[in-house]
Amino acid sequence: MARTSEPMNEVAVWPALAQYWHPVAYAHEVTDKPVPLTLLGEEIIVCRLGKEVQAFADLCVHRGTPLSLGWIEGEEIICAYHGWAYNREGKCTRIPSIPAEHPIPKRACLTRYPARERYGIVWVCLSDEPRAPVPEYPAYEDANYHIVLRDRGLWKCSAARGIENFIDLGHFSWIHESILGTRDLPLTPEMHIERRGEELRFYCDCVPDRIHPVAHRRNYRLARPFSIYNWKEQEGADRQEVLVFLCTPHTEKECTWFFLIARNYDPDADKGEGEGQENLYKLILEQDQAIVERQRPEALPLDLREELHVKGPDAIALEYRRFLAELGVDVA
Ligand code: FES
Ligand code: FE
Protein backbone atom coordinates (compact mmCIF):
# COMPACT_ATOMS: atom_id res chain seq x y z
CA MET A 1 0.00 0.00 0.00
CA ALA A 2 1.30 3.44 -0.90
CA ARG A 3 2.58 5.40 2.06
CA THR A 4 1.36 8.91 2.53
CA SER A 5 2.28 11.49 5.10
CA GLU A 6 -1.28 11.34 6.45
CA PRO A 7 -1.70 9.24 9.59
CA MET A 8 -3.20 5.87 8.73
CA ASN A 9 -6.93 5.53 9.26
CA GLU A 10 -9.60 2.98 8.47
CA VAL A 11 -10.06 4.28 4.92
CA ALA A 12 -6.49 3.19 4.15
CA VAL A 13 -7.58 -0.43 4.65
CA TRP A 14 -10.67 -0.24 2.43
CA PRO A 15 -8.97 -2.32 -0.32
CA ALA A 16 -8.71 -5.14 2.22
CA LEU A 17 -12.16 -4.49 3.65
CA ALA A 18 -13.55 -4.99 0.14
CA GLN A 19 -12.52 -8.64 0.57
CA TYR A 20 -14.83 -9.22 3.55
CA TRP A 21 -18.53 -10.01 3.67
CA HIS A 22 -20.61 -7.06 4.82
CA PRO A 23 -24.22 -7.02 5.97
CA VAL A 24 -26.27 -4.86 3.63
CA ALA A 25 -29.95 -5.54 4.42
CA TYR A 26 -32.30 -7.86 6.21
CA ALA A 27 -33.39 -10.66 3.90
CA HIS A 28 -37.07 -9.71 4.24
CA GLU A 29 -36.29 -6.22 2.95
CA VAL A 30 -35.05 -7.53 -0.40
CA THR A 31 -38.20 -8.41 -2.27
CA ASP A 32 -39.50 -7.22 -5.65
CA LYS A 33 -37.40 -4.08 -6.12
CA PRO A 34 -33.68 -3.42 -6.44
CA VAL A 35 -32.33 -2.02 -3.15
CA PRO A 36 -29.60 0.59 -3.65
CA LEU A 37 -26.84 1.26 -1.15
CA THR A 38 -23.26 2.44 -0.90
CA LEU A 39 -20.69 -0.07 0.30
CA LEU A 40 -17.13 1.16 0.90
CA GLY A 41 -17.86 4.03 -1.44
CA GLU A 42 -19.20 1.76 -4.24
CA GLU A 43 -22.78 2.21 -5.36
CA ILE A 44 -24.41 -1.18 -5.57
CA ILE A 45 -27.83 -2.80 -5.63
CA VAL A 46 -29.07 -5.97 -4.04
CA CYS A 47 -32.09 -7.69 -5.49
CA ARG A 48 -33.88 -11.00 -5.45
CA LEU A 49 -33.95 -12.72 -8.85
CA GLY A 50 -35.93 -15.87 -8.38
CA LYS A 51 -35.22 -17.09 -4.86
CA GLU A 52 -31.63 -15.97 -4.68
CA VAL A 53 -30.26 -12.62 -3.70
CA GLN A 54 -27.83 -11.00 -6.11
CA ALA A 55 -25.64 -7.92 -5.92
CA PHE A 56 -24.51 -5.77 -8.83
CA ALA A 57 -22.86 -2.43 -9.38
CA ASP A 58 -25.65 0.15 -9.60
CA LEU A 59 -24.74 0.96 -13.18
CA CYS A 60 -26.19 -0.16 -16.47
CA VAL A 61 -23.36 -0.80 -18.91
CA HIS A 62 -25.27 0.79 -21.79
CA ARG A 63 -25.41 4.43 -20.72
CA GLY A 64 -24.45 4.51 -17.07
CA THR A 65 -27.98 4.70 -15.71
CA PRO A 66 -28.49 3.49 -12.13
CA LEU A 67 -30.14 0.10 -12.19
CA SER A 68 -31.85 1.07 -8.98
CA LEU A 69 -34.18 3.17 -11.16
CA GLY A 70 -35.27 -0.03 -12.85
CA TRP A 71 -37.43 -2.94 -11.78
CA ILE A 72 -37.61 -6.70 -11.63
CA GLU A 73 -39.54 -8.87 -14.07
CA GLY A 74 -39.50 -12.57 -13.31
CA GLU A 75 -35.87 -13.44 -12.71
CA GLU A 76 -34.43 -10.44 -14.52
CA ILE A 77 -33.68 -6.86 -13.73
CA ILE A 78 -34.80 -4.25 -16.25
CA CYS A 79 -32.99 -0.96 -16.78
CA ALA A 80 -35.35 2.02 -16.68
CA TYR A 81 -33.72 3.93 -19.57
CA HIS A 82 -33.90 1.58 -22.60
CA GLY A 83 -35.30 -1.56 -21.06
CA TRP A 84 -32.24 -3.80 -21.31
CA ALA A 85 -32.85 -6.98 -19.29
CA TYR A 86 -30.15 -8.68 -17.20
CA ASN A 87 -30.29 -12.16 -15.71
CA ARG A 88 -29.00 -13.39 -12.35
CA GLU A 89 -25.47 -13.73 -13.72
CA GLY A 90 -25.69 -10.10 -14.76
CA LYS A 91 -25.73 -11.03 -18.48
CA CYS A 92 -27.88 -8.95 -20.79
CA THR A 93 -30.57 -11.17 -22.32
CA ARG A 94 -32.65 -8.65 -24.24
CA ILE A 95 -32.18 -5.29 -25.93
CA PRO A 96 -35.69 -4.17 -26.89
CA SER A 97 -34.52 -1.62 -29.52
CA ILE A 98 -32.87 -4.25 -31.77
CA PRO A 99 -34.55 -7.15 -33.56
CA ALA A 100 -34.63 -10.32 -31.48
CA GLU A 101 -32.37 -12.18 -33.94
CA HIS A 102 -29.52 -9.64 -33.59
CA PRO A 103 -26.75 -10.75 -31.29
CA ILE A 104 -26.31 -9.14 -27.90
CA PRO A 105 -22.79 -7.82 -27.34
CA LYS A 106 -20.74 -10.13 -25.13
CA ARG A 107 -19.62 -7.23 -22.99
CA ALA A 108 -23.22 -6.38 -22.09
CA CYS A 109 -22.71 -7.66 -18.58
CA LEU A 110 -23.18 -6.07 -15.19
CA THR A 111 -20.47 -6.04 -12.56
CA ARG A 112 -21.66 -8.73 -10.20
CA TYR A 113 -20.61 -9.27 -6.59
CA PRO A 114 -20.90 -12.36 -4.39
CA ALA A 115 -24.08 -12.20 -2.28
CA ARG A 116 -25.63 -14.61 0.18
CA GLU A 117 -28.15 -14.89 2.98
CA ARG A 118 -27.38 -16.03 6.49
CA TYR A 119 -29.18 -15.37 9.81
CA GLY A 120 -31.86 -13.50 7.87
CA ILE A 121 -29.27 -10.97 6.72
CA VAL A 122 -28.04 -10.32 3.19
CA TRP A 123 -24.23 -10.24 2.96
CA VAL A 124 -22.19 -8.87 0.07
CA CYS A 125 -18.48 -9.07 -0.67
CA LEU A 126 -16.95 -6.70 -3.22
CA SER A 127 -14.35 -9.31 -4.16
CA ASP A 128 -14.67 -12.75 -5.74
CA GLU A 129 -12.17 -14.01 -3.21
CA PRO A 130 -13.39 -13.26 0.32
CA ARG A 131 -10.66 -13.34 2.94
CA ALA A 132 -12.92 -14.86 5.55
CA PRO A 133 -16.34 -16.51 5.68
CA VAL A 134 -19.46 -14.76 7.00
CA PRO A 135 -18.93 -14.59 10.81
CA GLU A 136 -20.27 -17.42 12.96
CA TYR A 137 -23.27 -16.69 15.23
CA PRO A 138 -24.06 -20.14 16.67
CA ALA A 139 -27.13 -19.07 18.65
CA TYR A 140 -28.72 -17.73 15.48
CA GLU A 141 -28.74 -21.18 13.92
CA ASP A 142 -29.72 -23.02 17.08
CA ALA A 143 -33.37 -24.10 17.29
CA ASN A 144 -33.36 -23.43 21.06
CA TYR A 145 -32.98 -19.72 20.42
CA HIS A 146 -35.48 -17.33 18.95
CA ILE A 147 -34.75 -13.92 17.61
CA VAL A 148 -36.68 -11.33 19.58
CA LEU A 149 -35.33 -8.23 17.91
CA ARG A 150 -33.96 -7.16 14.53
CA ASP A 151 -33.43 -3.47 14.04
CA ARG A 152 -31.25 -1.18 12.00
CA GLY A 153 -30.40 2.49 11.76
CA LEU A 154 -28.19 4.98 10.00
CA TRP A 155 -25.40 6.75 11.84
CA LYS A 156 -23.40 9.61 10.44
CA CYS A 157 -20.13 8.15 11.61
CA SER A 158 -17.67 5.63 10.27
CA ALA A 159 -18.30 1.90 10.76
CA ALA A 160 -15.16 1.48 12.88
CA ARG A 161 -16.18 4.33 15.20
CA GLY A 162 -19.55 2.61 15.55
CA ILE A 163 -17.98 -0.76 16.40
CA GLU A 164 -15.43 0.71 18.76
CA ASN A 165 -18.21 2.40 20.69
CA PHE A 166 -19.93 -0.95 21.25
CA ILE A 167 -16.83 -2.50 22.81
CA ASP A 168 -15.91 0.54 24.89
CA LEU A 169 -16.99 -0.21 28.45
CA GLY A 170 -15.58 3.01 29.89
CA HIS A 171 -18.51 5.04 28.60
CA PHE A 172 -21.22 2.91 30.23
CA SER A 173 -21.21 4.88 33.49
CA TRP A 174 -21.30 8.18 31.61
CA ILE A 175 -23.58 8.36 28.65
CA HIS A 176 -25.59 5.30 29.74
CA GLU A 177 -25.75 6.34 33.40
CA SER A 178 -28.38 4.32 35.29
CA ILE A 179 -28.87 1.95 32.36
CA LEU A 180 -25.54 0.22 31.82
CA GLY A 181 -23.56 1.71 34.71
CA THR A 182 -23.40 4.34 37.40
CA ARG A 183 -21.04 7.25 37.87
CA ASP A 184 -20.11 6.25 41.40
CA LEU A 185 -18.58 3.04 39.96
CA PRO A 186 -16.68 4.20 36.87
CA LEU A 187 -13.85 1.64 36.95
CA THR A 188 -13.84 -0.82 34.06
CA PRO A 189 -13.30 -4.55 34.61
CA GLU A 190 -10.13 -6.21 33.40
CA MET A 191 -10.42 -7.57 29.87
CA HIS A 192 -8.94 -10.89 28.85
CA ILE A 193 -8.15 -10.78 25.16
CA GLU A 194 -7.24 -13.45 22.69
CA ARG A 195 -6.78 -13.43 18.91
CA ARG A 196 -8.30 -16.33 17.06
CA GLY A 197 -7.73 -15.97 13.32
CA GLU A 198 -10.20 -13.37 12.09
CA GLU A 199 -11.67 -12.89 15.56
CA LEU A 200 -10.78 -10.94 18.65
CA ARG A 201 -12.28 -12.82 21.57
CA PHE A 202 -12.46 -11.15 24.93
CA TYR A 203 -14.32 -11.30 28.19
CA CYS A 204 -14.49 -9.58 31.54
CA ASP A 205 -15.88 -10.60 34.88
CA CYS A 206 -18.22 -8.00 36.28
CA VAL A 207 -18.88 -7.65 39.99
CA PRO A 208 -22.43 -6.95 41.16
CA ASP A 209 -23.55 -3.34 41.15
CA ARG A 210 -26.78 -1.42 41.41
CA ILE A 211 -27.65 -2.06 37.77
CA HIS A 212 -26.54 -5.70 37.58
CA PRO A 213 -26.85 -7.08 41.12
CA VAL A 214 -25.50 -10.49 40.09
CA ALA A 215 -21.89 -11.28 39.19
CA HIS A 216 -21.57 -12.16 35.52
CA ARG A 217 -19.13 -12.59 32.67
CA ARG A 218 -19.45 -10.61 29.45
CA ASN A 219 -18.14 -12.41 26.38
CA TYR A 220 -17.40 -10.86 23.03
CA ARG A 221 -16.35 -12.15 19.64
CA LEU A 222 -15.38 -9.39 17.30
CA ALA A 223 -15.00 -10.69 13.75
CA ARG A 224 -12.96 -8.44 11.56
CA PRO A 225 -13.93 -5.88 10.48
CA PHE A 226 -17.37 -4.86 11.80
CA SER A 227 -19.17 -7.71 13.52
CA ILE A 228 -19.78 -8.30 17.24
CA TYR A 229 -21.31 -11.35 18.89
CA ASN A 230 -21.86 -10.74 22.59
CA TRP A 231 -23.39 -12.69 25.46
CA LYS A 232 -23.51 -12.66 29.24
CA GLU A 233 -22.92 -15.68 31.42
CA GLN A 234 -24.16 -16.02 34.93
CA GLU A 235 -23.14 -18.90 37.12
CA GLY A 236 -25.92 -21.46 37.44
CA ALA A 237 -28.14 -19.71 34.90
CA ASP A 238 -28.91 -21.43 31.63
CA ARG A 239 -31.01 -18.58 30.30
CA GLN A 240 -28.99 -16.85 27.70
CA GLU A 241 -29.33 -13.72 25.64
CA VAL A 242 -27.03 -13.23 22.66
CA LEU A 243 -26.60 -9.89 20.93
CA VAL A 244 -25.27 -9.21 17.46
CA PHE A 245 -24.16 -5.74 16.47
CA LEU A 246 -22.91 -5.06 12.96
CA CYS A 247 -21.96 -2.02 10.94
CA THR A 248 -22.07 -1.59 7.18
CA PRO A 249 -19.39 0.84 5.98
CA HIS A 250 -21.12 3.13 3.48
CA THR A 251 -18.60 5.95 3.39
CA GLU A 252 -16.02 7.38 5.73
CA LYS A 253 -18.82 9.33 7.38
CA GLU A 254 -21.80 7.03 7.28
CA CYS A 255 -22.67 3.51 8.38
CA THR A 256 -25.75 1.41 9.03
CA TRP A 257 -25.94 -0.55 12.26
CA PHE A 258 -27.81 -3.83 12.53
CA PHE A 259 -28.77 -4.98 16.01
CA LEU A 260 -30.22 -8.39 16.82
CA ILE A 261 -31.16 -10.13 20.05
CA ALA A 262 -31.71 -13.89 20.39
CA ARG A 263 -32.77 -15.77 23.52
CA ASN A 264 -32.99 -19.41 24.53
CA TYR A 265 -36.03 -18.84 26.72
CA ASP A 266 -39.56 -17.68 26.27
CA PRO A 267 -39.47 -13.94 25.61
CA ASP A 268 -42.74 -13.52 27.50
CA ALA A 269 -41.52 -15.38 30.57
CA ASP A 270 -40.68 -13.44 33.72
CA LYS A 271 -37.70 -11.31 32.97
CA GLY A 272 -34.63 -11.85 35.09
CA GLU A 273 -32.11 -9.26 36.12
CA GLY A 274 -30.57 -7.31 33.30
CA GLU A 275 -32.96 -8.74 30.74
CA GLY A 276 -35.70 -7.12 28.74
CA GLN A 277 -33.20 -4.67 27.37
CA GLU A 278 -34.85 -4.67 24.00
CA ASN A 279 -37.06 -1.96 25.46
CA LEU A 280 -34.05 0.13 26.31
CA TYR A 281 -31.80 -0.48 23.36
CA LYS A 282 -33.27 2.39 21.32
CA LEU A 283 -32.44 4.87 24.05
CA ILE A 284 -28.96 3.38 24.50
CA LEU A 285 -28.23 3.60 20.78
CA GLU A 286 -29.50 7.18 20.65
CA GLN A 287 -27.16 8.06 23.49
CA ASP A 288 -24.31 6.46 21.54
CA GLN A 289 -25.32 8.21 18.32
CA ALA A 290 -25.08 11.63 19.97
CA ILE A 291 -21.41 10.93 20.63
CA VAL A 292 -20.19 8.89 17.65
CA GLU A 293 -21.58 11.34 15.11
CA ARG A 294 -19.51 14.12 16.69
CA GLN A 295 -16.17 12.32 16.93
CA ARG A 296 -13.38 13.77 14.80
CA PRO A 297 -11.71 12.76 12.65
CA GLU A 298 -14.58 10.70 11.31
CA ALA A 299 -12.40 7.82 10.11
CA LEU A 300 -10.96 5.81 12.98
CA PRO A 301 -7.23 6.54 13.35
CA LEU A 302 -5.20 3.33 13.05
CA ASP A 303 -1.91 4.95 13.91
CA LEU A 304 -1.80 4.41 17.67
CA ARG A 305 0.04 7.67 18.17
CA GLU A 306 -3.14 9.47 17.15
CA GLU A 307 -5.54 9.99 20.04
CA LEU A 308 -4.68 9.01 23.62
CA HIS A 309 -5.13 5.63 25.17
CA VAL A 310 -5.19 4.60 28.78
CA LYS A 311 -3.93 1.26 29.92
CA GLY A 312 -6.79 -0.98 30.97
CA PRO A 313 -10.02 0.60 29.76
CA ASP A 314 -8.72 1.16 26.21
CA ALA A 315 -7.09 -2.26 25.81
CA ILE A 316 -9.76 -3.59 23.47
CA ALA A 317 -9.85 -0.45 21.36
CA LEU A 318 -6.07 -0.63 20.98
CA GLU A 319 -6.20 -4.26 19.95
CA TYR A 320 -9.02 -3.52 17.51
CA ARG A 321 -7.06 -0.68 15.90
CA ARG A 322 -4.02 -2.96 15.54
CA PHE A 323 -6.23 -5.68 14.10
CA LEU A 324 -7.54 -3.32 11.39
CA ALA A 325 -4.16 -1.68 10.80
CA GLU A 326 -2.62 -5.05 9.92
CA LEU A 327 -4.85 -5.12 6.87
CA GLY A 328 -3.02 -2.12 5.51
CA VAL A 329 0.29 -3.89 5.83
CA ASP A 330 -0.35 -7.06 3.92
CA VAL A 331 -2.49 -5.71 1.10
CA ALA A 332 -0.66 -5.06 -2.16
FE1 FES B 1 -29.63 1.05 -19.32
FE2 FES B 1 -29.78 2.12 -21.75
S1 FES B 1 -28.85 2.94 -20.00
S2 FES B 1 -30.67 0.32 -21.03
FE1 FE C 1 -22.82 2.77 24.26
Side-chain angles (χ1 to χ4, degrees), residues 261 263 271 275-283:
I261 301 177
R263 293 194 184 128
K271 296 199 189 297
E275 290 159 0
Q277 293 230 345
E278 76 273 17
N279 300 319
L280 278 176
Y281 83 93
K282 267 190 194 298
L283 173 62

PDB file of all heavy atoms in Angstrom, residues 261 263 271 275-283:
ATOM      1  N   ILE A 261     -31.173  -9.454  18.744  1.00  0.00           N
ATOM      2  CA  ILE A 261     -31.155 -10.128  20.049  1.00  0.00           C
ATOM      3  C   ILE A 261     -31.806 -11.492  19.884  1.00  0.00           C
ATOM      4  O   ILE A 261     -32.896 -11.607  19.306  1.00  0.00           O
ATOM      5  CB  ILE A 261     -31.948  -9.332  21.117  1.00  0.00           C
ATOM      6  CG1 ILE A 261     -31.365  -7.926  21.295  1.00  0.00           C
ATOM      7  CG2 ILE A 261     -31.943 -10.086  22.456  1.00  0.00           C
ATOM      8  CD1 ILE A 261     -32.143  -7.054  22.294  1.00  0.00           C
ATOM      9  N   ARG A 263     -32.706 -15.203  22.172  1.00  0.00           N
ATOM     10  CA  ARG A 263     -32.773 -15.774  23.524  1.00  0.00           C
ATOM     11  C   ARG A 263     -33.127 -17.253  23.463  1.00  0.00           C
ATOM     12  O   ARG A 263     -33.839 -17.674  22.553  1.00  0.00           O
ATOM     13  CB  ARG A 263     -33.853 -15.075  24.341  1.00  0.00           C
ATOM     14  CG  ARG A 263     -33.518 -13.659  24.622  1.00  0.00           C
ATOM     15  CD  ARG A 263     -34.422 -13.118  25.706  1.00  0.00           C
ATOM     16  NE  ARG A 263     -34.137 -11.709  25.882  1.00  0.00           N
ATOM     17  CZ  ARG A 263     -35.041 -10.760  25.869  1.00  0.00           C
ATOM     18  NH1 ARG A 263     -36.319 -11.055  25.722  1.00  0.00           N
ATOM     19  NH2 ARG A 263     -34.686  -9.508  26.031  1.00  0.00           N
ATOM     20  N   LYS A 271     -39.031 -11.761  33.338  1.00  0.00           N
ATOM     21  CA  LYS A 271     -37.698 -11.307  32.974  1.00  0.00           C
ATOM     22  C   LYS A 271     -36.798 -11.336  34.201  1.00  0.00           C
ATOM     23  O   LYS A 271     -37.213 -10.937  35.281  1.00  0.00           O
ATOM     24  CB  LYS A 271     -37.761  -9.902  32.406  1.00  0.00           C
ATOM     25  CG  LYS A 271     -38.559  -9.845  31.121  1.00  0.00           C
ATOM     26  CD  LYS A 271     -38.249  -8.601  30.355  1.00  0.00           C
ATOM     27  CE  LYS A 271     -39.194  -8.396  29.176  1.00  0.00           C
ATOM     28  NZ  LYS A 271     -39.126  -9.420  28.179  1.00  0.00           N
ATOM     29  N   GLU A 275     -32.364  -8.320  32.001  1.00  0.00           N
ATOM     30  CA  GLU A 275     -32.965  -8.736  30.740  1.00  0.00           C
ATOM     31  C   GLU A 275     -34.048  -7.741  30.336  1.00  0.00           C
ATOM     32  O   GLU A 275     -34.318  -6.783  31.026  1.00  0.00           O
ATOM     33  CB  GLU A 275     -33.564 -10.144  30.896  1.00  0.00           C
ATOM     34  CG  GLU A 275     -32.464 -11.188  31.036  1.00  0.00           C
ATOM     35  CD  GLU A 275     -32.945 -12.465  31.683  1.00  0.00           C
ATOM     36  OE1 GLU A 275     -34.129 -12.561  32.034  1.00  0.00           O
ATOM     37  OE2 GLU A 275     -32.116 -13.362  31.857  1.00  0.00           O
ATOM     38  N   GLY A 276     -34.653  -8.017  29.201  1.00  0.00           N
ATOM     39  CA  GLY A 276     -35.698  -7.117  28.745  1.00  0.00           C
ATOM     40  C   GLY A 276     -35.119  -5.828  28.199  1.00  0.00           C
ATOM     41  O   GLY A 276     -35.792  -4.813  28.083  1.00  0.00           O
ATOM     42  N   GLN A 277     -33.829  -5.893  27.826  1.00  0.00           N
ATOM     43  CA  GLN A 277     -33.196  -4.666  27.370  1.00  0.00           C
ATOM     44  C   GLN A 277     -33.636  -4.240  25.990  1.00  0.00           C
ATOM     45  O   GLN A 277     -33.251  -3.178  25.535  1.00  0.00           O
ATOM     46  CB  GLN A 277     -31.694  -4.832  27.399  1.00  0.00           C
ATOM     47  CG  GLN A 277     -31.175  -4.971  28.816  1.00  0.00           C
ATOM     48  CD  GLN A 277     -30.038  -4.034  29.100  1.00  0.00           C
ATOM     49  OE1 GLN A 277     -29.458  -3.485  28.181  1.00  0.00           O
ATOM     50  NE2 GLN A 277     -29.735  -3.825  30.346  1.00  0.00           N
ATOM     51  N   GLU A 278     -34.414  -5.103  25.319  1.00  0.00           N
ATOM     52  CA  GLU A 278     -34.849  -4.669  23.997  1.00  0.00           C
ATOM     53  C   GLU A 278     -35.714  -3.420  24.101  1.00  0.00           C
ATOM     54  O   GLU A 278     -35.862  -2.686  23.145  1.00  0.00           O
ATOM     55  CB  GLU A 278     -35.564  -5.790  23.230  1.00  0.00           C
ATOM     56  CG  GLU A 278     -36.982  -6.079  23.655  1.00  0.00           C
ATOM     57  CD  GLU A 278     -37.036  -7.085  24.795  1.00  0.00           C
ATOM     58  OE1 GLU A 278     -35.981  -7.291  25.434  1.00  0.00           O
ATOM     59  OE2 GLU A 278     -38.117  -7.633  25.054  1.00  0.00           O
ATOM     60  N   ASN A 279     -36.263  -3.178  25.285  1.00  0.00           N
ATOM     61  CA  ASN A 279     -37.056  -1.962  25.462  1.00  0.00           C
ATOM     62  C   ASN A 279     -36.172  -0.729  25.616  1.00  0.00           C
ATOM     63  O   ASN A 279     -36.616   0.388  25.409  1.00  0.00           O
ATOM     64  CB  ASN A 279     -37.947  -2.100  26.686  1.00  0.00           C
ATOM     65  CG  ASN A 279     -38.886  -3.278  26.547  1.00  0.00           C
ATOM     66  OD1 ASN A 279     -39.428  -3.506  25.467  1.00  0.00           O
ATOM     67  ND2 ASN A 279     -39.033  -4.037  27.613  1.00  0.00           N
ATOM     68  N   LEU A 280     -34.935  -0.980  26.015  1.00  0.00           N
ATOM     69  CA  LEU A 280     -34.045   0.135  26.307  1.00  0.00           C
ATOM     70  C   LEU A 280     -33.033   0.398  25.205  1.00  0.00           C
ATOM     71  O   LEU A 280     -32.376   1.417  25.190  1.00  0.00           O
ATOM     72  CB  LEU A 280     -33.259  -0.171  27.597  1.00  0.00           C
ATOM     73  CG  LEU A 280     -33.971   0.113  28.899  1.00  0.00           C
ATOM     74  CD1 LEU A 280     -33.098  -0.347  30.057  1.00  0.00           C
ATOM     75  CD2 LEU A 280     -34.257   1.607  29.034  1.00  0.00           C
ATOM     76  N   TYR A 281     -32.912  -0.583  24.292  1.00  0.00           N
ATOM     77  CA  TYR A 281     -31.804  -0.481  23.357  1.00  0.00           C
ATOM     78  C   TYR A 281     -31.898   0.771  22.492  1.00  0.00           C
ATOM     79  O   TYR A 281     -30.889   1.371  22.141  1.00  0.00           O
ATOM     80  CB  TYR A 281     -31.721  -1.749  22.487  1.00  0.00           C
ATOM     81  CG  TYR A 281     -32.643  -1.716  21.311  1.00  0.00           C
ATOM     82  CD1 TYR A 281     -32.212  -1.258  20.073  1.00  0.00           C
ATOM     83  CD2 TYR A 281     -33.977  -2.090  21.452  1.00  0.00           C
ATOM     84  CE1 TYR A 281     -33.078  -1.189  19.008  1.00  0.00           C
ATOM     85  CE2 TYR A 281     -34.837  -2.025  20.399  1.00  0.00           C
ATOM     86  CZ  TYR A 281     -34.399  -1.574  19.175  1.00  0.00           C
ATOM     87  OH  TYR A 281     -35.268  -1.485  18.129  1.00  0.00           O
ATOM     88  N   LYS A 282     -33.125   1.210  22.179  1.00  0.00           N
ATOM     89  CA  LYS A 282     -33.271   2.394  21.320  1.00  0.00           C
ATOM     90  C   LYS A 282     -32.665   3.617  22.003  1.00  0.00           C
ATOM     91  O   LYS A 282     -31.939   4.390  21.389  1.00  0.00           O
ATOM     92  CB  LYS A 282     -34.748   2.665  21.011  1.00  0.00           C
ATOM     93  CG  LYS A 282     -35.201   2.012  19.715  1.00  0.00           C
ATOM     94  CD  LYS A 282     -36.581   2.503  19.320  1.00  0.00           C
ATOM     95  CE  LYS A 282     -37.210   1.647  18.248  1.00  0.00           C
ATOM     96  NZ  LYS A 282     -36.462   1.633  16.986  1.00  0.00           N
ATOM     97  N   LEU A 283     -32.982   3.746  23.289  1.00  0.00           N
ATOM     98  CA  LEU A 283     -32.443   4.866  24.051  1.00  0.00           C
ATOM     99  C   LEU A 283     -30.917   4.771  24.119  1.00  0.00           C
ATOM    100  O   LEU A 283     -30.214   5.762  23.902  1.00  0.00           O
ATOM    101  CB  LEU A 283     -33.052   4.858  25.466  1.00  0.00           C
ATOM    102  CG  LEU A 283     -32.458   5.870  26.442  1.00  0.00           C
ATOM    103  CD1 LEU A 283     -32.690   7.294  25.935  1.00  0.00           C
ATOM    104  CD2 LEU A 283     -33.080   5.692  27.834  1.00  0.00           C
TER     105      LEU A 283
END
